[in-house]
Amino acid sequence: RSLCFFAVGDIGTPNTQVKNVALAMNRYAIQTNRSPDFILCLGDNFYPAGVRSVDDVQFMNSWANVFLVYEKLRVPWKVVLGNHDYMQNPNAQIEFTNHSNNPQGLWQCPDFNYTFSHIIDANGAGKSTQVDFFALDTAGCQGHVRRAWPGAKDRLFDFKQNLKQSLAKSNADWKIVFAHHPLYTKSVLHGALGRCLRDDVYSHKKVSNEKGYGFEQVLVDAGVVAYFSGHEHTFQYHRARNVNYFVCGASGAEAVKLYGGADKQTNIDWVDETSSNGFVVTEITRERMVVKFVNVLGEVLKSVEVVH
């Protein structure tokens, strides 16, 4: 037996592209005869400005009526917040988790940061395998969030400490972090946010030696095998210091692009150049993890295998 999950990012508009992604996810699950155990939803869940309250019609119009119309997608959705989700009431997406309007309780965003585990049963053939997931709210790196929510910048340092502690407590065979903002991206404009999150000290625009969050070292020290994110509206993959970074922000709500164009000074192992919308499929066994970037036609654009 294996664990299978899908990942989507930046889905927050019920347009044709997002609906095509939802259809493709369902079709893929049928054709492979494997429904996802859950779906990672990687932020910017509602455009242009998040939701107002737990009664906001966008929960239905942009999520339930787009994705949950398909049986294979009626599984738990493990949600993190993106920067656009902070533009009105970010707490509403957390409160919706336990609200009576939540269809079958499938929207699961219990806090800004949280953890959950999945056990892969060995079916009597040895030891079972534990996979631990760590949801991380990275919105405090974003300028407009900092301006609208005083304290967001400093709070992210607290989130870093909480993540370190949670990772240290974990004895899982696989540790996976998921968040909205990527630590590595080929984009000119979003690259600075990646450096802000990744490094202890970073530079941006005309500012040098700015204090960063140093999340990369946290991931490396804890033996995290993968970091899933959205924000950049493309598919990207990069491996650095034994951590695998998957950018899954091409799920259709916004045009596929690198913000500010490609940064020629930044080397990323793979960037999708087909401008495809789609989703990401991950399957984990005790020995290996296979991650596939899939477009709306069901074609695998890139497959990454990680042996543990």
Side-chain angles (χ1 to χ4, degrees), residues 152-289:
K153 178 180 179 180
D154 292 334
R155 189 175 70 157
L156 187 48
F157 284 104
D158 296 334
F159 290 172
K160 173 187 173 182
Q161 289 304 117
N162 294 340
L163 178 63
K164 286 178 69 173
Q165 293 170 7
S166 295
L167 287 167
K169 292 176 184 176
S170 170
N171 294 315
D173 301 284
W174 298 84
K175 299 178 186 180
I176 295 172
V177 176
F178 63 107
H180 180 60
H181 294 84
L183 269 59
Y184 286 92
T185 177
K186 185 68 174 173
S187 140
V188 171
L189 294 181
H190 288 168
L193 292 176
R195 295 190 298 275
C196 171
L197 289 168
R198 188 176 75 229
D199 301 331
D200 291 317
V201 178
Y202 75 105
S203 301
H204 64 99
K205 295 182 180 178
K206 298 180 180 179
V207 180
S208 59
N209 296 321
E210 185 86 2
K211 184 178 181 181
Y213 292 100
F215 274 107
E216 181 175 53
Q217 193 63 51
V218 173
L219 305 183
V220 171
D221 289 345
V224 170
V225 72
Y227 178 97
F228 288 83
S229 65
H231 192 59
E232 198 73 73
H233 298 155
T234 59
F235 288 143
Q236 298 181 74
Y237 167 70
H238 189 67
R239 182 178 172 89
R241 302 177 67 191
N242 293 323
V243 182
N244 298 273
Y245 295 92
F246 301 95
V247 179
C248 321
S251 297
E254 298 272 324
V256 176
K257 66 177 180 179
L258 292 166
Y259 274 70
D263 185 347
K264 296 179 180 178
Q265 298 180 355
T266 299
N267 293 317
I268 299 295
D269 291 344
W270 177 77
V271 180
D272 175 38
E273 296 183 350
T274 68
S275 297
S276 294
N277 291 128
F279 58 103
V280 173
V281 178
T282 301
E283 192 160 0
I284 300 177
T285 63
R286 181 162 186 80
E287 299 84 14
R288 67 191 68 244
M289 174 176 73

Side-chain angles (χ1 to χ4, degrees), residues 110-179:
D111 208 337
F112 297 101
N113 307 273
Y114 59 94
T115 65
F116 69 95
S117 298
H118 188 96
I119 303 297
I120 304 172
D121 194 347
N123 292 326
K127 183 175 176 286
S128 61
T129 301
Q130 180 169 327
V131 187
D132 282 359
F133 292 82
F134 304 83
L136 173 65
D137 187 318
T138 54
C141 75
Q142 189 97 29
H144 75 83
V145 174
R146 292 176 173 183
R147 290 188 291 273
W149 297 87
K153 178 180 179 180
D154 292 334
R155 189 175 70 157
L156 187 48
F157 284 104
D158 296 334
F159 290 172
K160 173 187 173 182
Q161 289 304 117
N162 294 340
L163 178 63
K164 286 178 69 173
Q165 293 170 7
S166 295
L167 287 167
K169 292 176 184 176
S170 170
N171 294 315
D173 301 284
W174 298 84
K175 299 178 186 180
I176 295 172
V177 176
F178 63 107

Side-chain angles (χ1 to χ4, degrees), residues 23-43:
L23 175 63
M25 292 165 71
N26 187 68
R27 186 188 301 124
Y28 186 93
I30 293 171
Q31 291 175 344
T32 58
N33 196 31
R34 184 66 197 273
S35 299
D37 293 293
F38 54 84
I39 295 168
L40 299 185
C41 191
L42 298 167

